[in-house]
Amino acid sequence: MTPTEVLTLCREHDIKAVDLRFTDLPGTWHHTTIPVKHLTEDVFESGLGFDGSSIRGWQSINESDMLILPQADTAFVDPFTELPTLNLICNIQDPITGEEYAKDPRTITMRAINYLKHSGVADQAYFGPEAEFFILDDVAFDQTANQGFYHLDSIEGEWNRGREEAPNLGHKIRHKEGYFPVPPTDHHMDLRNQMMRTLIKAGLDVECQHHEVGTAGQAEIDLKYQDMLTMADQIMIYKYIVKNVAAQAGKTVTFMPKPIFGDNGSGMHTHISLWQNDDPVFAGSGYAGLSETALHAIGGILKHAPALLAFTNPTTNSYKRLVPGYEAPVNLAYSQRNRSAACRIPMYSNNPKAKRVEFRCPDPSCNPYLAFTALLMATIDGIQNKISPGEPLDCDIYDLDEAQLAAIASTPASLGDALDALEQDYEFLLRGGVMDESLISTWIDYKRTNEVDALRLRPHPYEFCMYYDV
């Protein structure tokens, strides 16, 4: 879609307002709204000014002026606003130099795509993430100097089997038994259908929706794979629509990786495939139908995985999901079909065009632009340096003894460990000017100060259960 076509779209839908959206470093959407009469073709070229110092991880107060540039091909009509509104995703630009801003996540993704093309490895990267989430009926939480608590509730929650609900109709989902049940056990069929319909109306290609494994309304809506930039944009739209459809129904959605103790967390298994001249680079005659290039790509992912997780699993809560015994993989190995390995090769089809690698570690708390970029850069590094992935892990991980388990590398145990790994292993992210050292250091400092240390300094409620009587 061109700027001219966007203006035509505004007239056809009687648009009254235009919402300009961009993503900050941690991955939150921000927006500013203008009357439709102020959206001209010149705005797409020259942009509009805003204060970059008020955005997390961006400019200092003495260099706060920034430009926001709408991208015409991202336009979609907002399905929730009372006033007819068109949404446009934007890039960020420095008004002095005229260059794209080095800490704009969307710009970083565009640089990674350009680097891929110039590398000769491939000319297209397709991503297919599977973002999971919980649909809840009530949430309350707080942390003050003298108290800290959280409380979540769901009509489906196993803990509500004995609750007085006048009447309680049963059909509560037991822990880890929420995969694919039909109504009335699945309480959210209609709500997920409404989410799916709204996503489609906004231009997203939805493949399916279903209840996920966890109790308390865990859900998944899958999107068809897209090129990397389009998919990163669509994940932002996906979160926005899912949350707002739930809110309109009097419910709330969280993409927090591990909100429920003792049950599966929410992941974002991410499928990646590379193509060159419309041919699938990952298809071949090797293990699981992979090419040598694909095996080297897996080698790059596994080698850099500890550092990668600082972007793909960027919260302290992420590492409460990445623990042994649940569906989330902690084993830095690869395998066909085996879901306990960090890299899985899906075997649903023998079609070479379906050949891809699924990286199972990521979760939906990530900034998709940075997570996808880091994953692509590790993939390219593996291919360029012919990094071996080692032998596949085709056995049941739970049948291995301690010595065998010790030989398999594991994911970092905490966000702090992942940030330490990134601090030691980030050169692959700098190639082609995709990321720079300033962005890496800003990310590490922000996460350590505002998340790792912030949690480390506060008493945990369960510590009182363990230690109050010492």
Side-chain angles (χ1 to χ4, degrees):
M1 188 176 293
T2 65
T4 300
E5 290 170 333
V6 170
L7 298 180
T8 300
L9 182 68
C10 288
R11 291 190 293 271
E12 290 174 349
H13 289 267
D14 195 27
I15 295 297
K16 302 299 184 184
V18 178
D19 206 49
L20 307 177
R21 304 190 171 193
F22 61 93
T23 306
D24 68 8
L25 213 53
T28 298
W29 240 2
H30 296 264
H31 74 133
T32 183
T33 311
I34 60 173
V36 68
K37 69 177 182 179
H38 291 319
L39 183 69
T40 64
E41 291 195 32
D42 182 63
V43 169
F44 288 93
E45 292 291 330
S46 303
L48 298 169
F50 76 103
D51 176 11
S53 68
S54 297
I55 305 301
R56 294 179 296 177
W58 280 12
Q59 298 291 86
S60 59
I61 192 70
N62 61 304
E63 49 183 9
S64 60
D65 290 351
M66 302 294 290
L67 291 175
I68 182 170
L69 277 78
Q71 302 302 297
D73 59 353
T74 67
F76 69 99
V77 177
D78 195 295
F80 305 108
T81 54
E82 181 178 347
L83 189 69
T85 300
L86 186 78
N87 297 330
L88 287 165
I89 300 175
C90 303
N91 291 346
I92 307 302
Q93 192 175 90
D94 188 305
I96 305 299
T97 66
E99 296 177 351
E100 293 173 326
Y101 184 44
K103 291 181 181 177
D104 171 27
R106 197 170 191 273
T107 291
I108 291 168
T109 299
M110 293 169 64
R111 289 178 176 176
I113 294 168
N114 289 333
Y115 175 66
L116 172 68
K117 293 176 179 178
H118 285 101
S119 71
V121 167
D123 56 25
Q124 189 62 273
Y126 288 107
F127 278 70
E130 303 171 352
E132 298 167 345
F133 54 91
F134 279 86
I135 302 169
L136 300 168
D137 292 294
D138 189 59
V139 57
F141 52 87
D142 202 2
Q143 176 77 56
T144 64
N146 68 315
Q147 68 171 347
F149 76 95
Y150 69 89
H151 174 79
L152 310 177
D153 207 1
S154 165
I155 188 65
E156 287 188 353
E158 181 181 38
W159 53 85
N160 282 326
R161 287 182 297 194
R163 186 173 69 174
E164 178 57 53
E165 294 179 353
N168 187 328
L169 300 178
H171 297 295
K172 312 304 182 185
I173 294 179
R174 289 179 287 271
H175 287 294
K176 299 190 181 185
E177 294 188 21
Y179 197 61
F180 281 22
V182 298
T185 302
D186 179 358
H187 289 69
H188 300 130
M189 174 67 174
D190 289 337
L191 183 59
R192 292 195 311 275
N193 275 339
Q194 181 62 29
M195 292 171 177
M196 180 172 67
R197 185 172 69 173
T198 308
L199 288 165
I200 293 170
K201 189 176 180 181
L204 279 64
D205 192 347
V206 178
E207 291 189 324
C208 67
Q209 61 88 354
H210 59 86
H211 202 292
E212 255 300 341
V213 174
T215 187
Q218 193 180 31
E220 181 178 319
I221 303 176
D222 289 337
L223 305 178
K224 184 177 180 180
Y225 69 88
Q226 302 289 342
D227 67 88
M228 186 167 75
L229 182 62
T230 299
M231 183 51 75
D233 287 341
Q234 289 192 355
I235 285 295
M236 300 306 297
I237 298 170
Y238 176 98
K239 285 186 171 184
Y240 174 71
I241 287 176
V242 165
K243 288 179 179 180
N244 278 279
V245 170
Q248 287 185 335
K251 297 184 183 293
T252 180
V253 157
T254 181
F255 288 91
M256 187 175 176
K258 187 76 169 184
I260 307 293
F261 172 67
D263 210 335
N264 283 25
S266 293
M268 192 176 77
H269 310 145
T270 300
H271 299 251
I272 178 173
S273 65
L274 300 184
W275 292 65
Q276 180 78 18
N277 298 323
D278 295 325
D279 290 325
V281 173
F282 282 178
S285 57
Y287 173 81
L290 295 178
S291 64
E292 186 177 36
T293 298
L295 291 170
H296 290 149
I298 293 171
I301 294 170
L302 295 178
K303 175 185 176 181
H304 297 296
L308 273 182
L309 265 62
F311 290 108
T312 63
N313 303 73
T315 69
T316 58
N317 185 255
S318 298
Y319 298 85
K320 293 176 171 60
R321 167 181 168 262
L322 290 176
V323 294
Y326 293 84
E327 193 175 63
V330 297
N331 307 295
L332 296 181
Y334 72 103
S335 175
Q336 60 182 8
R337 305 176 69 180
N338 190 343
R339 282 173 162 79
S340 66
C343 288
R344 185 178 75 97
I345 299 91
M347 301 299 290
Y348 300 122
S349 171
N350 292 323
N351 188 337
K353 293 184 177 180
K355 195 54 62 180
R356 60 198 187 271
V357 174
E358 177 192 24
F359 187 43
R360 293 179 58 78
C361 295
D363 68 58
S365 70
C366 71
N367 180 328
Y369 299 102
L370 299 182
F372 295 169
T373 294
L375 181 53
L376 178 63
M377 295 300 285
T379 298
I380 295 172
D381 184 60
I383 295 169
Q384 290 178 327
N385 291 292
K386 301 185 184 304
I387 298 172
S388 171
E391 294 299 317
L393 181 69
D394 286 336
C395 61
D396 187 339
I397 189 70
Y398 301 110
D399 288 339
L400 300 180
D401 59 34
E402 289 187 10
Q404 291 171 314
L405 281 173
I408 303 172
S410 298
T411 55
S414 68
L415 177 59
D417 289 345
L419 294 171
D420 289 344
L422 177 61
E423 200 166 41
Q424 298 300 315
D425 178 26
Y426 63 84
E427 292 293 333
F428 71 101
L429 299 168
L430 307 182
R431 291 171 193 154
V434 174
M435 296 188 185
D436 60 28
E437 292 197 24
S438 174
L439 182 136
I440 300 293
S441 63
T442 297
W443 181 264
I444 292 172
D445 291 344
Y446 179 88
K447 287 287 176 177
R448 280 180 175 160
T449 302
N450 295 284
E451 298 180 33
V452 174
D453 287 349
L455 185 67
R456 181 175 60 85
L457 293 171
R458 286 169 168 79
H460 188 285
Y462 195 64
E463 288 180 309
F464 286 85
C465 299
M466 296 189 294
Y467 306 130
Y468 184 77
D469 57 349
V470 295

